């Protein structure tokens, strides 16, 4: 596991991403990061909206072999408290 991402886009249109990621346990079966979840308010539109940042945690798990001697994490969970709501994005890679 060579690449520790410093940013992860967690939306299909770029209106949400986690930046400034600092990892612990990278390459282990489960790794954790802290960073900042940036969310576009899409006002008046997503193209012209304003981003707001909130503290976030990222957990990746399920280290899985693929390709020619490569490994990748199968599950990612991003959590951030954005004002009064908790934002959770969880994705699992198909096996």
């Amino acid at each position: 596991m060579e690449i520790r991402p410093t940013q992860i886009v967690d939306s299909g249109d770029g209106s949400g991403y986690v930046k400034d990621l600092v990892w612990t346990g990278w390459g282990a079966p489960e790794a954790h990061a802290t960073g900042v979840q940036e969310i576009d308010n899409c006002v008046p539109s997503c193209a012209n909206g304003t981003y707001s940042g909130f503290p976030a945690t990222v957990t990746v798990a399920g280290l899985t072999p693929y390709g020619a001697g490569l490994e990748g994490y199968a599950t990612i969970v991003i959590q951030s408290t954005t004002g009064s709501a908790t934002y959770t994005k969880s994705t699992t890679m198909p096996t």
Side-chain angles (χ1 to χ4, degrees), residues 13-83:
D13 62 2
S15 63
Y17 63 96
V18 187
K19 67 177 187 176
D20 301 332
L21 293 172
V22 177
W23 292 94
T24 58
W26 189 259
E30 184 173 287
H32 305 274
T34 57
V36 177
Q37 173 73 53
E38 292 283 345
I39 298 178
D40 187 346
N41 67 1
C42 293
V43 175
S45 67
C46 291
N48 296 307
T50 302
Y51 283 89
S52 296
F54 303 92
T57 60
V58 179
T59 301
V60 291
L63 200 55
T64 304
Y66 72 95
L70 301 172
E71 293 181 310
Y73 288 104
T75 302
I76 181 170
V77 176
I78 300 169
Q79 292 185 300
S80 179
T81 301
T82 57

